[in-house]
Amino acid sequence: MLILQGVSYTHPNKDLLFDNLHLTVNNHDKIALIGNNGTGKSTLLKIIAGEVQPSDGRLIVDTSPYFVPQIFGQFNHLTIAQALKIEDKTKALKEILNGSVSEEHFTLLGDDWTVEERCSEALEYWGLMDLDLSQKIGTLSGGQKTKVFLAGIAVYRPELILLDEPSNHLDISGRKLLYDFIQSTQSTLIVVSHDRQLLNLLDTVCELSQHGIKVYGGNYEFYATQKQIEQNALHQDLQDKEKALRKAKEKERETSERQQKLDARGKRKQEKAGVARIMMNTLRNSAENSTSKLKNAHAEKIEGISRKLQELRSSLPDTDKMKFGFEHATLHKGKILFTADGINVSYGLQLLWAENMEFQIKSGERIALKGLNGSGKTTLIKLILGSMAPQTGAVHKADVQAVYIDQDYSLIHNQFTVYEQAQKFNTTALQEHEVKIRLSRFLFRKEDWDKSCSILSGGEKMRLMLCCLIISNNSPDIIILDEPTNNLDIQNIEILTNAVNEYQGTLIVVSHDEYFLQQTGIERVIQL
């Protein structure tokens, strides 16, 4: 059982991250914790894990959580045994098995006589049987680091497991193992993830935002459906308020015109009747006061509707505020852009692929490159882009413009500001205000224009990259996306998905995110 009661957290610089959070997690619940980047998901997991103290509120947890963090750099200097905090036990076990009768060794080991056996079985399950417990974490790949900490679950057998973006560095086979574990475990799970295939395996979605935690009683598909219903209702409210505002303004205009006609008619009657000037002034002042009251009443009504309309517009999700406007690709559909004729490359004396590659890429296709880590996906991208040549076979390339977007968005230069980066793609001599209008469309407000690109989040870099492509007003013939969703939250993945779906050129994607591939209409797979 886990209970959050009024939990708040304020950064050391006094910025409030979240406030007055309430949540109850029962035993065996499987919870997805989602929300936009910056809402505090990882911090909340660290508070539950006991690594960070809340600024206010109360945390009740009846067991010791096991935490798999998102970032592992802080463990690089440790061995696997040290990172998993089993070094003392394994050393004590070895000493005892070697004949030591030291009380210290028996105290360290306790009753945990199977710790080494469990550790070996756990590493084997995650495909890490070649690793030694004395190996440094810093020598491992991102996927191996994740698997080491996932293996620790079987070592400790915890009742409460906290996972922060566990599938980020895993390839397809690693994700399959993770999905199987999530479905089979009886432990309580709280998972922060943007992997929608994973999120669909969990029973409850909890959305963290500036308004607190909102609980949706179902998996991600259920959550997405409910959010769509909420957004449809929001759009309907917007339409109703816009209609009401138009009617109120029309009513104000009609009333004003009618009052003016009545005032003019009354004045003519008074003049014909020979009403004294002082009396006419009194009647005129009375009419003006009456007109002013009517104007004020209409103005108050219009202001109230406008204020409500602004509130509704501000609550629109960012995905609804985005405007893309990709130019259509100029190549006719079906034109052959790239041909691989028995190509292969070698590293040392060994060929990369068991069989030489034979395939074509045609204009308008949507292709996924799939394969395990190390299968040569990045090498194949270099061959397609022409930045390297094959050792065997031949490639034939059409004269096309290709844009390669990696997961770090390397086309974004850290030494530039947001506005300077946009200007680098301003090949059509747009005026300054036109560039800034396009930045605004991609959610970069005035206060963001002078911000250094070096401090942008993954989602912000992705949006700036898309904005730059729009500013260049020259839709590339081929866009290659290399693990594009790795550093994005769900909201920014949806923004990217919408942009990709609007693009009509050739799309090549390297991704372990099957949900993203499905949503972007991938038609063909090149398996490595």
Side-chain angles (χ1 to χ4, degrees):
M1 173 75 77
L2 166 68
I3 300 175
L4 303 180
Q5 294 179 337
V7 170
S8 303
Y9 182 78
T10 302
H11 287 297
N13 66 1
K14 307 301 182 185
D15 287 342
L16 181 67
L17 183 60
F18 48 71
D19 184 40
N20 198 31
L21 298 184
H22 293 270
L23 180 67
T24 298
V25 179
N26 296 309
N27 292 335
H28 312 299
D29 281 353
K30 296 180 180 181
I31 303 291
L33 181 61
I34 68 172
N36 296 340
N37 284 346
T39 53
K41 303 183 297 297
S42 294
T43 300
L44 184 56
L45 282 192
K46 289 176 182 176
I47 287 173
I48 296 171
E51 293 186 1
V52 172
Q53 293 303 309
S55 305
D56 200 3
R58 188 179 178 207
L59 176 73
I60 302 171
V61 57
D62 60 4
T63 186
S64 296
Y66 182 87
F67 181 36
V68 178
Q70 180 181 358
I71 300 170
F72 303 99
Q74 66 272 32
F75 303 107
N76 283 345
H77 65 289
L78 302 177
T79 65
I80 293 175
Q82 289 169 338
L84 292 179
K85 298 180 180 178
I86 58 170
E87 184 182 46
D88 289 345
K89 284 191 175 186
T90 54
K91 281 185 176 179
L93 177 61
K94 284 180 181 177
E95 290 296 326
I96 292 170
L97 293 178
N98 287 333
S100 172
V101 293
S102 166
E103 183 178 346
E104 179 186 0
H105 293 147
F106 281 94
T107 301
L108 283 171
L109 183 62
D111 294 327
D112 201 358
W113 294 89
T114 63
V115 59
E116 203 167 55
E117 183 181 340
R118 292 199 315 278
C119 194
S120 296
E121 290 175 354
L123 291 174
E124 183 177 356
Y125 173 84
W126 291 102
L128 302 175
M129 60 287 291
D130 295 333
L131 297 187
D132 188 275
L133 290 177
S134 62
Q135 191 167 342
K136 288 288 182 70
I137 292 291
T139 65
L140 307 181
S141 69
Q144 287 175 319
K145 290 175 184 178
T146 302
K147 289 177 180 179
V148 162
F149 281 86
L150 289 170
I153 295 171
V155 176
Y156 285 95
R157 298 169 181 170
E159 295 178 2
L160 173 60
I161 301 169
L162 311 174
L163 305 177
D164 193 356
E165 299 288 2
S167 64
N168 254 16
H169 300 288
L170 300 182
D171 58 20
I172 292 173
S173 62
R175 289 187 181 211
K176 176 67 166 57
L177 290 172
L178 176 63
Y179 300 157
D180 289 344
F181 164 74
I182 286 173
Q183 287 180 293
S184 62
T185 185
Q186 294 301 305
S187 297
T188 304
L189 289 177
I190 303 178
V191 185
V192 169
S193 180
H194 63 259
D195 180 345
R196 287 150 309 170
Q197 191 172 351
L198 184 159
L199 295 175
N200 273 332
L201 304 176
L202 304 171
D203 305 323
T204 303
V205 172
C206 295
E207 183 182 52
L208 178 60
S209 71
Q210 59 183 348
H211 306 296
I213 294 178
K214 186 172 183 179
V215 179
Y216 293 81
N219 65 6
Y220 179 78
E221 291 286 1
F222 176 84
Y223 159 81
T225 301
Q226 295 304 306
K227 290 295 284 186
Q228 189 60 57
I229 292 171
E230 292 174 9
Q231 288 176 26
N232 290 344
L234 176 58
H235 282 290
Q236 187 59 55
D237 283 350
L238 268 171
Q239 291 175 10
D240 292 345
K241 284 292 180 290
E242 287 169 349
K243 186 176 179 181
L245 183 60
R246 285 195 300 271
K247 283 188 173 181
K249 288 182 176 179
E250 187 178 336
K251 183 71 173 174
E252 180 190 37
R253 180 181 56 78
E254 290 175 351
T255 303
S256 178
E257 289 175 354
R258 186 167 58 247
Q259 189 63 43
Q260 287 174 5
K261 289 177 182 177
L262 289 172
D263 290 347
R265 190 181 306 161
K267 184 178 180 181
R268 286 195 297 272
K269 284 182 179 180
Q270 291 161 12
E271 288 173 346
K272 285 181 182 179
V275 176
R277 181 177 295 276
I278 189 168
M279 186 60 180
M280 286 182 66
N281 288 339
T282 302
L283 291 171
R284 186 179 68 248
N285 290 337
S286 178
E288 287 175 353
N289 288 335
S290 177
T291 301
S292 177
K293 286 180 181 178
L294 278 172
K295 281 185 177 180
N296 289 338
H298 283 291
E300 286 179 10
K301 184 175 182 179
I302 289 171
E303 184 182 352
I305 296 173
S306 296
R307 188 166 53 249
K308 182 60 178 175
L309 190 58
Q310 185 59 38
E311 290 173 4
L312 289 171
R313 282 176 178 157
S314 66
S315 61
L316 275 174
D318 287 342
T319 48
D320 286 3
K321 299 175 187 174
M322 297 283 292
K323 297 186 184 297
F324 297 105
F326 270 115
E327 290 291 314
H328 294 328
T330 56
L331 295 176
H332 68 81
K333 197 172 180 68
K335 178 179 178 179
I336 297 173
L337 306 183
F338 181 88
T339 300
D341 187 6
I343 64 172
N344 215 324
V345 295
S346 60
Y347 290 95
L349 299 176
Q350 188 172 357
L351 289 172
L352 179 57
W353 299 302
E355 296 183 5
N356 294 342
M357 301 292 292
E358 300 262 359
F359 64 89
Q360 286 186 333
I361 296 173
K362 296 179 180 179
S363 177
E365 283 194 299
R366 299 199 156 214
I367 300 169
L369 303 184
K370 289 189 176 183
L372 300 178
N373 291 340
S375 62
K377 298 186 293 294
T378 301
T379 298
L380 186 54
I381 287 173
K382 290 178 180 178
L383 291 168
I384 293 170
L385 291 171
S387 59
M388 72 176 290
Q391 268 83 47
T392 62
V395 298
H396 307 281
K397 283 177 81 268
D399 184 17
V400 294
Q401 182 189 3
V403 171
Y404 173 54
I405 302 176
D406 60 14
Q407 59 186 298
D408 296 320
Y409 301 98
S410 301
L411 289 175
I412 303 294
H413 298 282
N414 286 336
Q415 69 269 27
F416 293 157
T417 65
V418 169
Y419 176 72
E420 289 169 344
Q421 174 68 39
Q423 277 289 17
K424 286 294 178 182
F425 281 75
N426 185 12
T427 56
T428 57
L430 292 173
Q431 297 294 313
E432 179 179 338
H433 73 278
E434 293 176 305
V435 173
K436 289 178 176 177
I437 285 172
R438 283 158 178 78
L439 284 170
S440 296
R441 287 178 185 167
F442 282 79
L443 312 180
F444 290 101
R445 296 165 297 182
K446 185 177 181 180
E447 55 267 32
D448 298 321
W449 297 338
D450 293 327
K451 186 185 291 186
S452 171
C453 291
S454 63
I455 62 172
L456 298 182
S457 68
E460 288 171 326
K461 286 186 175 181
M462 180 274 297
R463 284 191 279 110
L464 183 54
M465 184 69 259
L466 292 175
C467 183
C468 288
L469 293 180
I470 300 301
I471 286 172
S472 69
N473 199 34
N474 185 16
S475 184
D477 304 306
I478 302 174
I479 292 179
I480 300 176
L481 299 175
D482 191 355
E483 295 292 357
T485 63
N486 265 15
N487 300 314
L488 304 183
D489 58 16
I490 290 175
Q491 181 190 56
N492 280 300
I493 291 175
E494 289 176 353
I495 289 172
L496 177 61
T497 302
N498 291 340
V500 166
N501 286 336
E502 191 170 312
Y503 170 68
Q504 295 186 12
T506 305
L507 182 70
I508 301 173
V509 184
V510 175
S511 180
H512 299 307
D513 187 338
E514 290 294 331
Y515 199 98
F516 177 76
L517 296 177
Q518 177 189 338
Q519 293 291 305
T520 50
I522 293 299
E523 306 159 325
R524 184 158 72 96
V525 173
I526 296 177
Q527 186 70 47
L528 302 178

